[in-house]
Amino acid sequence: GDSVTQMEGPVTLSEEAFLTINCTYTATGYPSLFWYVQYPGEGLQLLLKATKADDKGSNKGFEATYRKETTSFHLEKGSVQVSDSAVYFCALMEYGNKLVFGAGTILRVKS
Amino acid sequence: ETGVTQTPRHLVMGMTNKKSLKCEQHLGHNAMYWYKQSAKKPLELMFVYSLEERVENNSVPSRFSPECPNSSHLFLHLHTLQPEDSALYLCASSQGDRGPGANVLTFGAGSRLTVL
């Protein structure tokens, strides 16, 4: 079945450092790919998405490119802030209403 | 009120209790979901309701019983739970008929359940 694998955390960075959180997926067809973020005490919210190969999703300085050849959707940000500290979830949706998540990666940014 | 609201935010129950979690959405969405979030595990999809009909039941034990009386409300009835059922239960809603690329879920803040 469909699955998502993302790098284990926690990831600890200093403010203004470069961020990469790796995400790879397994799917039988051509899924849509998502990054969701969960801030402390809150539910998940959509950060960005891409619906086909080579699409780049972007939001709030975060970017991720849908790479079909490597089945990847890595999340990047050029300069993280303390306010970016959260849990980041990579997810895919191939059909219907079934959104499949990775395990989540905790990001901690120090000032 | 806007968004997805879950109550209670925290619940402690014994293994023989019966309790319910409630979810309400004010977004006009037609699909609602229950997810289970446990430490260091991927979010597990439990149930999906589309247009008030259950369309997904991910092999969830019968001690969890969902109910969707209308498109704005979703309940999760809990009965004779086990300690390993302790987790954060997340409700979400979406406009489920727009295809995978446009089916963006809006989540509530979750109900933290502890089973003693």
Side-chain angles (χ1 to χ4, degrees), chain B residues 21-33:
Chain B
L21 306 181
K22 178 182 176 183
C23 176
E24 187 172 0
Q25 60 97 0
H26 301 274
L27 299 168
H29 288 163
N30 60 14
M32 296 189 77
Y33 311 74

Side-chain angles (χ1 to χ4, degrees), chain B:
Chain B
E1 292 188 36
T2 59
V4 179
T5 304
Q6 291 187 240
T7 54
R9 292 293 308 273
H10 300 274
L11 178 63
V12 179
M13 58 187 290
M15 292 167 60
T16 58
N17 291 159
K18 282 186 181 181
K19 297 286 185 182
S20 296
L21 306 181
K22 178 182 176 183
C23 176
E24 187 172 0
Q25 60 97 0
H26 301 274
L27 299 168
H29 288 163
N30 60 14
M32 296 189 77
Y33 311 74
W34 280 116
Y35 278 87
K36 177 182 179 183
Q37 184 177 19
S38 304
K40 299 183 179 180
K41 292 176 66 176
L43 272 75
E44 301 171 52
L45 178 63
M46 301 175 72
F47 302 104
V48 181
Y49 277 81
S50 178
L51 299 172
E52 301 156 41
E53 286 193 34
R54 192 190 310 178
V55 297
E56 184 88 25
N57 178 346
N58 240 14
S59 303
V60 178
S62 59
R63 57 186 183 269
F64 295 91
S65 173
E67 178 189 2
C68 188
N70 55 60
S71 60
S72 298
H73 294 85
L74 183 66
F75 295 89
L76 188 63
H77 302 300
L78 315 170
H79 178 49
T80 59
L81 296 191
Q82 305 298 312
E84 60 265 27
D85 297 323
S86 298
L88 182 68
Y89 289 85
L90 291 167
C91 174
S93 70
S94 74
Q95 197 59 32
D97 53 357
R98 294 181 178 171
N103 191 2
V104 175
L105 273 63
T106 300
F107 284 82
S111 293
R112 173 71 62 185
L113 173 66
T114 302
V115 182
L116 302 176

Side-chain angles (χ1 to χ4, degrees), chain A residues 6-23:
Chain A
Q6 53 183 113
M7 62 189 290
E8 285 193 33
V11 174
T12 302
L13 296 173
S14 298
E15 213 165 15
E16 300 183 3
F18 185 87
L19 168 70
T20 300
I21 300 179
N22 290 337
C23 170

